[in-house]
Amino acid sequence: MRRLIPVLKQDGVDTDLIMLVRTILAASKEIAFRVSQGELAGILGSTLNENIQGEVQKKLDVLANQLIKEMLLDDESVRAIASEEEEHVVAGHSTGRYIVAFDPLDGSSNIDVNGQIGTIFTVYPAREDVAYDSCQQFHQPGINQLCAGYILYGPSSLLVLSTGGPTRCYTLDLTHGGYLLTKAQMNVPRDSCEFAINMANYRHWSRVTQAYFDQVLYASERFRHSSVRWNAAMVGDVHRVLSRGGIFLYPEDARLGNETGKLRLLYEANPLSLLIEKAGGKATSSGRRTLEIMPKDLHQRVPVVLGSVGPVDDFNSAVFSA
Ligand code: AFP
């Protein structure tokens, strides 16, 4: 089996970017170890604080954020950092070539139940036309991403990564501590009847979204054998979609704060959209290609619909040409 670094070299990835990915993965190995120790590592449970999104912070959210942030700030190629757990941009090195955004711990509600959780990250080129520590560094569409990935801390720890080429999957080998290539090219099947959506939000959806799911659940022949799977961790749900097809949806809804969706463009929607597209799937937001959205705000939320091309097109044509 091949190790990560030779694969990245063979893919022609810039040496500085390879080193940066290594830095992120060093932090991920530490997180993976603590996660595997669970209660024994004293990392379960909540802190007394809320993050910028107004959500209660878990101990592991704080620990993961601190670890990744500190390791990235030691890397001279990093000009600025944005984290879901930080209100503002964190300044790095003024001459660094890259900016990095990350969700240190996606799926926090799964921490205490031994469920799937993950770290999502993305790297963009630093902008020369704005200050090195300005939030405008991150005002770039997702198509500019040089690299995007997630680490899924599940029964085994997996790295799913694209550096602009195919979406590849690596497994953390605990015997030597490195990531080994276990799937050279992930391919999202074109069609599938699996839905990942929080159906409990039905009452808050727009009328057209409700009408679409009325069809799926009660009328459509095409979806007669459909099933719903929901992990409450986007990394886990998207990993299932990447592995066996399906559609993941988190539409906007009427609840306060969710009017433009729940998921963050920078830390969740964009990196996972790149991985889905590089695996032959489709990633959209309000019927548009997510990767072309120009961000206006660091913590911007967007509706997310991504996965197998067939069901994504089906949803968008029903809801946006209605
Ligand atoms: P947390 O990381 O705060 O638990 O949020 C997870 C998440 O952003 C995403 O990973 C899930 O798909 C989604 O929220 C779950 O949201 P609901 O709890 O509303 O179903």
Side-chain angles (χ1 to χ4, degrees):
M1 258 177 222
R2 303 180 60 206
R3 289 170 182 248
L4 172 74
I5 304 298
V7 177
L8 294 181
K9 283 187 179 155
Q10 188 204 300
D11 283 348
V13 180
D14 192 281
T15 309
D16 284 349
L17 186 53
I18 294 181
M19 297 316 283
L20 175 52
V21 170
R22 275 183 79 167
T23 301
I24 297 168
L25 296 182
S28 83
K29 290 175 197 172
E30 178 71 31
I31 299 167
F33 175 71
R34 307 258 187 132
V35 169
S36 72
Q37 292 286 94
E39 191 99 57
L40 305 179
I43 43 95
L44 305 190
S46 303
T47 65
L48 295 175
N49 304 326
E50 285 187 351
N51 67 8
I52 161 72
Q53 328 285 343
E55 300 156 344
V56 174
Q57 279 184 309
K58 299 282 187 179
K59 287 185 201 162
L60 196 58
D61 283 329
V62 176
L63 177 91
N65 185 53
Q66 205 60 28
L67 262 172
I68 300 172
K69 185 170 83 173
E70 280 171 12
M71 290 178 105
L72 283 174
L73 290 178
D74 271 347
D75 189 322
E76 290 194 354
S77 73
V78 176
R79 192 174 299 196
I81 294 170
S83 161
E84 197 200 298
E85 298 296 332
E86 303 277 340
E87 185 165 2
H88 303 293
V89 164
V90 179
H93 302 267
S94 57
T95 54
R97 296 173 61 188
Y98 305 116
I99 58 168
V100 184
F102 58 95
D103 178 353
L105 222 290
D106 179 58
S108 322
S109 69
N110 284 353
I111 295 172
D112 294 346
V113 299
N114 207 19
Q116 285 186 322
I117 47 181
T119 295
I120 308 173
F121 62 92
T122 171
V123 181
Y124 290 78
R127 287 176 60 174
E128 300 301 339
D129 57 335
V130 295
Y132 81 103
D133 54 354
S134 161
C135 64
Q136 291 200 3
Q137 282 288 349
F138 292 89
H139 293 189
Q140 303 190 40
I143 41 171
N144 287 9
Q145 292 172 101
L146 298 171
C147 148
Y150 62 79
I151 299 103
L152 180 64
Y153 310 107
S156 53
S157 291
L158 302 179
L159 163 69
V160 174
L161 183 73
S162 168
T163 48
T167 297
R168 304 195 195 279
C169 182
Y170 303 81
T171 303
L172 181 59
D173 178 2
L174 295 173
T175 57
H176 84 289
Y179 284 96
L180 299 180
L181 184 67
T182 39
K183 209 161 266 163
Q185 162 86 71
M186 298 189 87
N187 286 308
V188 181
R190 233 196 117 72
D191 247 308
S192 162
C193 287
E194 276 190 4
F195 289 81
I197 187 161
N198 186 343
M199 286 300 295
N201 294 332
Y202 179 95
R203 70 178 70 193
H204 306 297
W205 294 337
S206 68
R207 195 51 220 130
V208 276
T209 302
Q210 288 175 337
Y212 181 77
F213 277 94
D214 290 344
Q215 279 292 318
V216 168
L217 295 176
Y218 304 116
S220 160
E221 265 314 302
R222 177 174 178 188
F223 294 116
R224 173 175 281 278
H225 301 292
S226 62
S227 54
V228 172
R229 300 281 183 261
W230 189 244
N231 247 309
M234 191 181 181
V235 273
D237 287 314
V238 170
H239 192 70
R240 185 188 299 103
V241 170
L242 275 167
S243 306
R244 48 188 271 179
I247 178 171
F248 172 95
L249 307 97
Y250 211 117
E252 71 280 22
D253 64 53
R255 288 172 298 170
L256 195 64
N258 278 26
E259 299 89 342
T260 64
K262 175 183 179 187
L263 304 176
R264 292 68 165 185
L265 176 61
L266 192 54
Y267 318 105
E268 294 171 309
N270 268 341
L272 297 178
S273 294
L274 185 80
L275 294 170
I276 286 283
E277 282 200 5
K278 295 295 177 186
K282 199 160 186 174
T284 63
S285 178
S286 302
R288 299 179 44 196
R289 187 181 179 206
T290 305
L291 295 180
E292 289 176 0
I293 299 173
M294 180 57 87
K296 296 191 225 54
D297 179 69
L298 218 48
H299 297 289
Q300 185 172 340
R301 295 169 190 258
V302 290
V304 171
V305 175
L306 54 77
S308 295
V309 173
V312 170
D313 283 347
D314 195 61
F315 176 85
N316 284 332
S317 60
V319 169
F320 296 104
S321 45

